[in-house]
Amino acid sequence: MTLYYLHGFASSSQSVKAVQARSFFAARYPSCSFIAPDLAYTPAEAMAQLVSLMNIAPPSAIIGSSLGGFLATVMAERYHCRACLINPAVAPHEVLADFLGDYYHPVLKRHFAVQQHHMALLQQLMPVRLAQPANYLVLLQSGDEVLDYRKAVSYYRGARLQVTEGGDHSFIGFADYLPAIAEFCQLAPPASPGSQ
């Protein structure tokens, strides 16, 4: 099985949640291939990376946080797989319009300019409706200071939604949800101690 983790905007594969997820799945599901790519901050480049990766290793499931949650949705619709979303961005072209400017990717060591024309591409990528809402587990915290969690509740209607009061955009306590995420992603049960 191949499990992808997609980070949020201005983040990387070295983010706290990505590291926690990588450690958890390596320890509990060693037969699962865990891929956390360092995505470009511009949508066309990020999509090209994902298409290239997933054409070679199609996803069994995808975990995505914030803008990575949006990208996870786009790719889950294409590959008809399950996805777990953490405080996902809904209509990111509206959100990122306030974050235009120059950025530096700390892992790719590249400068990026997020520009207005990128918003049109994000809008085009957004699925009008979900083909199979039941394929999604959406974890939200009402205290998210960046995104309005109620937009996700509306957009992902029919999905398995879990709203926690309080918290913030980083999703406090993410590691505690990893067993439930693994179960939802339908990963093979971890080997019991002493089994061969």
Side-chain angles (χ1 to χ4, degrees):
M1 298 188 72
T2 303
L3 177 65
Y4 284 85
Y5 178 90
L6 307 184
H7 63 72
F9 178 72
S11 186
S12 77
S13 64
Q14 303 305 312
S15 71
V16 171
K17 289 193 293 294
V19 170
Q20 288 175 333
R22 183 184 296 109
S23 176
F24 172 84
F25 288 105
R28 298 285 299 275
Y29 299 88
S31 64
C32 177
S33 176
F34 182 86
I35 301 174
D38 279 302
L39 298 174
Y41 294 164
T42 53
E45 285 185 284
M47 282 300 298
Q49 286 177 267
L50 289 175
V51 169
S52 177
L53 282 169
M54 293 184 183
N55 280 346
I56 295 170
S60 304
I62 309 171
I63 301 170
S65 175
S66 190
L67 182 60
F70 169 77
L71 295 174
T73 302
V74 173
M75 302 313 288
E77 290 293 296
R78 292 190 181 197
Y79 287 90
H80 309 290
C81 67
R82 290 194 165 208
C84 176
L85 315 176
I86 299 97
N87 283 339
V90 175
H93 56 283
E94 298 174 359
V95 179
L96 286 179
D98 294 330
F99 293 89
L100 303 182
D102 296 324
Y103 293 87
Y104 182 74
H105 198 301
V107 179
L108 296 180
K109 301 187 185 308
R110 290 174 55 191
H111 291 276
F112 290 91
V114 178
Q115 301 173 343
Q116 185 62 48
H117 69 88
H118 296 146
M119 303 306 106
L121 177 55
L122 287 171
Q123 186 172 11
Q124 292 168 10
L125 287 172
M126 183 176 172
V128 176
R129 65 183 60 85
L130 303 176
Q132 292 184 291
N135 277 349
Y136 296 88
L137 169 63
V138 185
L139 304 177
L140 303 164
Q141 292 191 335
S142 66
D144 188 333
E145 72 281 9
V146 177
L147 303 171
D148 184 346
Y149 78 97
R150 293 168 296 187
K151 290 184 177 180
V153 169
S154 176
Y155 181 72
Y156 291 99
R157 185 175 290 112
R160 187 184 300 181
L161 289 161
Q162 184 170 342
V163 180
T164 303
E165 291 298 317
D168 61 24
H169 186 61
S170 72
F171 201 88
I172 294 171
F174 170 70
D176 296 334
Y177 292 82
L178 285 167
I181 291 171
E183 181 180 356
F184 182 81
C185 291
Q186 298 183 327
L187 302 182
S192 59
S195 63
Q196 300 299 317

